[in-house]
Amino acid sequence: MGRITLSLVAALAAPAAIAQTPPAAAPVPIDPGLMKMQVVLDRLGFSPGVIDGRPGMSLTAAIKGFQESRGLKTSGEPDAATMAALRPYWGTEATKVLTLDARVLAGPYIDPIPHGEDQQAKLPGLYYRSPLEKLAEMFHTTPQVLVALNSPQTWLRPGSRVTFPNVLPSSRAYDAKLRPDWIATLNGLNVDAVQPQAAKLVVDKSDKVLRVYDKADKLVAQFQVTTGSTHDPLPIGKWTVKGADYNPKFHFNPALFWDADKDDKKAMLPPGPNGPVGVVWLDLSKPHYGIHGTPEPQLIGRTESHGCVRLANWNVARLALMVKPGTPAIFQE
């Protein structure tokens, strides 16, 4: 494998799905305190979305979720009561320096990924485009943040020491009954094997979050989501999770997409993290609707979907460990 430099030029000149937003003239620096807050909340199950050391609606929502879970005023601010509740977890380091090896850098990779579904259907998989993209998703962040955390002279090759957000799980003892490829995906996304069990899911269209409640009706996890659009609104109602399809293929049927071209044909897209539904499809009792991943985690809550509920790949993989067939999924305004 050739050397790939971890530099602003390399990251931001990459394909659009690797660098979703153009570089700002004066990039906002990473705030170490905010990154630590994001890392702690992520580890506790109240996802701030992409870990970037910056303020924003996803971090505010995560703080509110944590506050609700602890019976605190849901201000969305790291006030004194909130920081007191976080104190037991505050010894967690915001970042971790790790030595890369051949295994973590291994592909397969595919670049470029063609735009059309007919061409994507011919690929062996919708894999990551590069080691940089893979490592960013593994550590719940973006290529730009990895570049900012490290020297522009850092090389992605075995033996390199690289700084990452500290989202390493406390347990990788995944259920042996799970498929080996799915265990590999969980491991590759740094999803902790120990998760609370969901008694119900509640998706709120108004605040763009998915809340996970246990059998005592306690909020135990929360994830930022994208929920529908004007053309394909979130299907308000009470549904159930029918099952999970791990590392799913995607059946593209243009008849189900209002924005499909009239010349588009049906196609079966191969699995992969850059597929339209990411690494998991949680099938719902509402036909053609599901809860799924995305190849564009930084756009969660900021764009529209075709009616389904979309999460970052690392979050939907975590959610998949919390649910089982029959879990209620309530979609509300």
Side-chain angles (χ1 to χ4, degrees):
M1 185 186 72
R3 295 189 304 177
I4 299 180
T5 182
L6 187 63
S7 67
L8 284 172
V9 173
L12 298 179
I18 297 177
Q20 289 294 335
T21 55
V28 178
I30 291 174
D31 183 316
L34 288 181
M35 176 162 283
K36 185 166 187 171
M37 174 74 71
Q38 291 173 326
V39 164
V40 170
L41 290 170
D42 181 277
R43 294 169 73 98
L44 289 172
F46 297 90
S47 174
V50 167
I51 295 176
D52 58 6
R54 298 171 186 174
M57 67 178 190
S58 296
L59 177 56
T60 299
I63 294 172
K64 285 183 176 180
F66 174 78
Q67 289 168 332
E68 180 183 338
S69 74
R70 297 319 195 260
L72 303 174
K73 179 183 177 181
T74 54
S75 65
E77 298 292 333
D79 50 40
T82 301
M83 295 310 297
L86 286 168
R87 189 170 296 122
Y89 316 102
W90 210 247
T92 301
E93 297 174 307
T95 59
K96 200 81 169 177
V97 179
L98 301 173
T99 301
L100 301 181
D101 58 26
R103 178 189 58 81
V104 78
L105 292 170
Y109 301 107
I110 191 160
D111 185 27
I113 295 176
H115 178 69
E117 285 81 6
D118 58 335
Q119 294 301 310
Q120 291 180 6
K122 299 175 183 178
L123 300 175
L126 289 167
Y127 310 126
Y128 292 118
R129 292 176 174 85
S130 70
L132 181 57
E133 185 183 30
K134 176 186 177 181
L135 289 169
E137 187 147 291
M138 180 180 290
F139 289 91
H140 308 179
T141 189
T142 65
Q144 294 93 329
V145 172
L146 291 186
V147 169
L149 285 173
N150 292 275
S151 164
Q153 284 71 49
T154 300
W155 293 92
L156 295 187
R157 60 188 178 191
S160 293
R161 290 174 60 77
V162 180
T163 300
F164 297 101
N166 184 20
V167 296
L168 295 175
S170 60
S171 172
R172 298 183 189 270
Y174 306 110
D175 188 341
K177 295 178 183 177
L178 295 173
R179 285 178 3 205
D181 69 297
W182 178 234
I183 290 176
T185 297
L186 292 169
N187 197 50
L189 290 171
N190 279 321
V191 175
D192 202 299
V194 179
Q195 299 294 340
Q197 291 306 294
K200 69 176 179 182
L201 310 179
V202 177
V203 176
D204 269 303
K205 182 179 178 180
S206 60
D207 52 12
K208 300 178 182 178
V209 297
L210 182 153
R211 295 181 172 90
V212 181
Y213 293 89
D214 66 10
K215 61 183 180 181
D217 207 32
K218 175 180 171 58
L219 180 65
V220 292
Q222 179 182 286
F223 306 106
Q224 196 81 7
V225 296
T226 293
T227 59
S229 65
T230 302
H231 288 275
D232 297 296
L234 182 74
I236 303 302
K238 296 182 178 180
W239 317 105
T240 57
V241 176
K242 294 175 61 179
D245 188 2
Y246 307 126
N247 294 321
K249 294 181 179 179
F250 179 72
H251 182 203
F252 173 69
N253 181 355
L256 300 177
F257 295 88
W258 66 268
D259 52 352
D261 190 272
K262 62 182 178 62
D263 296 323
D264 286 343
K265 302 291 190 297
K266 291 182 179 181
M268 182 63 75
L269 275 58
N274 271 315
V277 295
V279 299
V280 187
W281 171 271
L282 297 177
D283 197 32
L284 295 173
S285 53
K286 172 76 171 175
H288 307 302
Y289 285 84
I291 299 170
H292 63 84
T294 178
E296 301 173 351
Q298 63 272 43
L299 300 184
I300 291 295
R302 293 167 172 80
T303 54
E304 298 181 333
S305 74
H306 288 92
C308 293
V309 177
R310 186 186 300 163
L311 296 79
N313 277 333
W314 58 84
N315 283 336
V316 76
R318 186 172 190 169
L319 179 64
L321 293 182
M322 301 179 183
V323 301
K324 60 184 179 181
T327 300
I330 302 164
F331 292 176
Q332 59 192 32
E333 296 285 353

